[in-house]
């Protein structure tokens, strides 16, 4: 576990304790600070936090909170997770803001992860509680280093030199009296991430098989497969710039690809420093690629193989703020031998807290497609269309989702009651 302040290292591990109430459901003291948890990432077990941190009043509306706790995270180079905790003072605590970071290793269990996050939250809230009446009822304990003398810094030995490997195989089987399907996929991945370099090597493959018994007793079978691999090398060029190259190879029945290999160097600029990436990013990425493609069947352009040069420009904005979160991405790509063969994609979403208790969710994307060079000349049969075994010609794609929710009632959210699980009231079948 590692917990540190954003501006300076915090070389200690501490626990905060409040004398346990007679009952786990006992009311929280009135002088306890009111905290609104705004978790915009996975790993926040709110039921666990409420049972572990019983010396604050958890509220479900940020407008009535004294501390707005915003939690975000990003993956570390070793495959673990780094949480960023922003403590935003409100009401009489306005202007008293703080930030902590907590690191969780790749091998940590769910319980270890939630305990590390809970301890970081305790550390962050202690300063606010100390200014309120509840502060006199808290104790702080210090756990000294177990294997070294106090005051002696020691860098942990790393025989793997930052390399992390991950291999996985998954099989899915399902069926009923007149149909069955099997899905098999596997992957192997190796990564090495430091402040200066980011390296990634991966291979993957999958196979899908489905069978159907038709009304006349005959049986229809469909089989599709795909495989591929890629190598990514990225060099840090400072707080705002980075450069890299991506090399990849792919094969796909659905996309009519017997073998496609591509290499693309690129450069990226981030308007804000990369260290702020858990809260906000505005990146511009440019790639120039060369691909050699062999097709399974002759394409609509009478090609069985070809060499292509393409370019891609992508701008991405991501923000996570107390008012909610938003993301927006614009991507343009074109083949240099024919600029009319291009693709333009816009996607975005926003999770917005409009007023007290009212949340609005908007997500959508639109792609204008003019670059389907891989389409088979023979087209697709009705079975292939219905089972989505072949990619079809299209000039656009889109999806839109809209959601709104309104919550009202008691502002307090301290009690945990797990009886009868978390079944929805309308669930029956």
């Amino acid at each position: 576990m590692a917990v540190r302040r954003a501006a300076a290292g915090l070389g200690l591990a501490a626990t905060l304790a409040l004398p346990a109430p007679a009952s786990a459901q006992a009311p929280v003291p009135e002088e306890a600070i009111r905290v609104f948890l705004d978790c915009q990432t996975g790993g926040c077990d709110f039921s666990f936090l409420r049972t572990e941190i019983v010396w604050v009043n958890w509220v479900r509306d940020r407008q009535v909170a004294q501390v707005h706790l915003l939690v975000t995270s990003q993956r570390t180079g070793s495959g673990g997770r780094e949480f960023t905790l922003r403590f935003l003072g409100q009401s009489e605590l306005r202007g008293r803001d703080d930030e902590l970071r907590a690191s969780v290793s790749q091998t940590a269990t769910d319980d270890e992860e939630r305990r590390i996050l809970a301890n970081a939250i305790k550390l962050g809230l202690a300063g606010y509680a100390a200014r309120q009446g509840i502060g006199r009822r808290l104790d702080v304990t210090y756990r000294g280093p177990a294997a070294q003398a106090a005051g002696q810094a020691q860098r942990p030995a790393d025989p793997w030199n930052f390399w992390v490997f991950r291999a996985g195989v998954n099989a899915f089987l399902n069926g009923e009296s007149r149909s069955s399907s099997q899905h098999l996929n596997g992957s192997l991945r190796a990564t090495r991430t430091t402040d200066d370099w980011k390296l990634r090597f991966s291979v993957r493959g999958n196979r899908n098989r489905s069978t159907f018994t038709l009304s006349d007793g005959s049986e229809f079978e469909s089989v599709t497969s795909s495989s591929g691999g890629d190598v990514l090398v990225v060099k840090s060029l400072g707080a705002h710039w980075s450069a890299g190259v991506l090399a990849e190879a792919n094969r796909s029945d659905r996309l009519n690809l017997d073998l496609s290999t591509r290499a693309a160097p690129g450069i990226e600029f981030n308007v804000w420093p990369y260290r702020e990436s858990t809260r906000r990013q505005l990146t511009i990425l440019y790639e120039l690629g060369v691909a050699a493609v062999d097709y399974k069947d002759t394409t609509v352009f009478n090609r069985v193989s070809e060499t292509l040069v393409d370019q891609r420009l992508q701008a991405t904005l991501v923000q996570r703020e107390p008012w909610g979160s938003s993301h927006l991405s614009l991507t343009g790509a074109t083949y240099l031998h024919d600029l009319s063969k291009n693709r333009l994609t816009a996607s975005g979403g926003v999770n917005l807290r409009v007023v007290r208790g009212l949340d609005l969710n908007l997500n959508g994307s639109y792609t204008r497609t003019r670059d389907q060079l891989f389409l088979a000349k023979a087209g697709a049969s009705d079975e292939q269309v219905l089972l989505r075994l072949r990619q079809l010609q299209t000039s656009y794609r889109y999806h839109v989702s809209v959601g709104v929710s309104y919550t009202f009632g008691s502002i307090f959210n301290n009690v945990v009651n797990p009886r009868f699980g978390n079944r929805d009231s309308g669930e029956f079948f």
Side-chain angles (χ1 to χ4, degrees):
M1 166 190 166
V3 178
R4 65 184 187 276
R5 295 197 178 274
L10 186 62
L12 60 83
T15 60
L16 293 162
L18 180 73
S23 167
Q25 303 295 328
V28 178
E30 184 179 357
E31 67 269 24
I33 57 174
R34 298 187 301 276
V35 181
F36 173 69
L37 176 64
D38 185 0
C39 185
Q40 300 189 12
T41 182
C44 297
D45 187 338
F46 191 29
S47 294
F48 178 79
L49 294 177
R50 283 180 291 178
T51 57
E52 287 292 305
I53 309 176
V54 297
W55 40 273
V56 303
N57 263 316
W58 297 101
V59 297
R60 59 174 186 79
D61 191 335
R62 69 185 181 98
Q63 301 294 339
V64 299
Q66 294 166 293
V67 178
H68 182 165
L69 172 55
L70 179 63
V71 182
T72 59
S73 74
Q74 62 183 355
R75 286 294 175 185
T76 63
S78 63
R81 190 198 298 265
E82 182 184 72
F83 290 98
T84 299
L85 294 78
R86 295 176 60 202
F87 300 85
L88 308 175
Q90 299 186 159
S91 187
E92 66 270 27
L93 298 177
R94 184 173 300 277
R96 299 183 181 273
D97 299 344
D98 199 2
E99 184 171 302
L100 291 177
R101 295 177 188 269
S103 299
V104 181
S105 70
Q106 180 192 29
T107 57
T109 64
D110 289 345
D111 182 64
E112 291 171 334
E113 181 177 86
R114 67 182 185 176
R115 289 186 182 278
I116 290 171
L117 180 59
N119 193 56
I121 293 175
K122 291 177 185 178
L123 291 174
L125 292 176
Y128 296 97
R131 296 178 174 89
Q132 305 298 109
I134 194 70
R136 64 180 182 273
R137 305 180 62 187
L138 292 176
D139 294 324
V140 179
T141 59
Y142 170 68
R143 298 192 303 271
Q148 62 189 55
Q152 293 181 342
Q154 180 180 355
R155 184 174 181 178
D158 184 7
W160 294 100
N161 193 26
F162 295 103
W163 281 102
V164 178
F165 301 87
R166 183 182 181 90
V169 177
N170 295 285
F172 304 91
L173 307 174
N174 64 73
E176 52 187 52
S177 60
R178 294 184 57 178
S179 66
S180 65
S181 63
Q182 302 89 41
H183 176 73
L184 177 67
N185 68 63
S187 64
L188 177 63
R189 182 186 181 99
T191 59
R192 184 178 188 270
T193 304
T194 65
D195 288 335
D196 294 326
W197 289 94
K198 178 179 181 180
L199 307 176
R200 185 188 73 204
F201 302 86
S202 69
V203 293
R204 59 197 174 275
N206 70 77
R207 184 177 186 273
N208 298 280
R209 177 178 179 270
S210 300
T211 58
F212 304 89
T213 301
L214 306 181
S215 58
D216 61 0
S218 62
E219 192 172 84
F220 177 81
E221 179 185 76
S222 69
V223 178
T224 60
S225 63
S226 66
S227 58
D230 63 73
V231 177
L232 176 67
V233 180
V234 179
K235 177 68 171 69
S236 172
L237 302 179
H240 298 272
W241 290 91
S242 59
V245 61
L246 172 68
E248 56 185 338
N250 293 285
R251 188 200 65 79
S252 172
D253 293 337
R254 187 168 186 265
L255 297 181
N256 191 32
L257 295 178
D258 193 33
L259 178 63
S260 171
T261 58
R262 178 178 181 266
I267 189 166
E268 182 181 78
F269 174 71
N270 193 347
V271 173
W272 293 298
Y274 283 104
R275 66 176 179 273
E276 299 181 18
S277 59
T278 60
R279 182 166 65 92
R280 57 180 185 174
Q281 293 187 75
L282 177 54
T283 58
I284 301 173
L285 171 65
Y286 177 78
E287 287 183 358
L288 181 64
V290 179
V293 187
D294 291 325
Y295 300 105
K296 296 177 68 67
D297 298 321
T298 303
T299 70
V300 291
F301 295 98
N302 294 314
R303 301 280 188 176
V304 293
S305 64
E306 59 184 328
T307 299
L308 301 167
V309 181
D310 65 89
Q311 61 180 349
R312 184 169 75 102
L313 181 65
Q314 182 180 55
T316 304
L317 172 65
V318 178
Q319 286 186 289
R320 299 178 181 91
E321 301 292 347
W323 48 260
S325 61
S326 65
H327 62 91
L328 176 65
S329 177
L330 298 174
T331 305
T334 184
Y335 291 107
L336 295 188
H337 74 280
D338 185 352
L339 297 182
S340 66
K341 301 299 185 292
N342 56 64
R343 176 179 301 227
L344 181 63
T345 301
S347 63
V350 60
N351 184 334
L352 179 64
R353 293 183 179 89
V354 183
V355 294
R356 178 171 171 172
L358 180 62
D359 289 355
L360 175 65
N361 291 279
L362 300 171
N363 287 279
S365 70
Y366 178 84
T367 300
R368 193 195 71 169
T369 305
R370 301 289 189 274
D371 61 351
Q372 293 179 295
L373 304 185
F374 55 85
L375 294 175
K377 186 176 183 179
S381 65
D382 291 341
E383 291 84 358
Q384 290 174 325
V385 171
L386 292 173
L387 296 175
R388 302 182 66 84
L389 302 180
R390 284 287 183 94
Q391 176 66 61
L392 304 180
Q393 188 278 331
T394 183
S395 60
Y396 66 90
R397 295 188 183 92
Y398 71 90
H399 87 265
V400 177
S401 66
V402 180
V404 62
S405 64
Y406 182 62
T407 306
F408 55 93
S410 172
I411 65 170
F412 296 104
N413 201 11
N414 297 316
V415 178
V416 175
N417 189 338
R419 295 170 180 81
F420 274 55
N422 295 314
R423 292 162 56 178
D424 294 331
S425 60
E427 181 182 307
F428 183 77
F429 293 103

